Amino acid sequence: MKQNMGTTDRIIRLIVVAIIAILYLTGAISGTAAVILGVIAAAFLVTSLIGWCPSYLPFGISTRKSDHDALR
């Protein structure tokens, strides 16, 4: 598994996770919406922590700077 997520991408996902958690804990979301957003938050949290998003693979997307780009 080669990382395909850049720092900015990972931070944005973690911010989204925090927002969903706050909405849930304050009771702003519940029921089906809470379950759906909870699943999305869990996926965002895991992908942010490992730096690899499987949904990027079919499209060849990578938000991570390559080592070659960093040398420029």
Side-chain angles (χ1 to χ4, degrees):
M1 252 182 346
K2 184 179 177 186
Q3 288 190 338
N4 61 3
M5 291 176 61
T7 304
T8 305
D9 191 2
R10 294 168 82 174
I11 290 171
I12 291 170
R13 287 173 181 245
L14 290 173
I15 291 169
V16 170
V17 169
I19 291 170
I20 292 171
I22 290 168
L23 290 173
Y24 177 74
L25 294 173
T26 60
I29 56 172
S30 62
T32 305
V35 171
I36 292 170
L37 290 174
V39 169
I40 291 170
F44 275 17
L45 180 63
V46 170
T47 57
S48 293
L49 293 177
I50 63 174
W52 181 74
C53 181
S55 59
Y56 284 1
L57 288 178
F59 305 104
I61 298 171
S62 176
T63 59
R64 183 172 187 257
K65 287 185 178 181
S66 67
D67 293 333
H68 183 265
D69 291 340
L71 296 175
R72 290 183 180 184

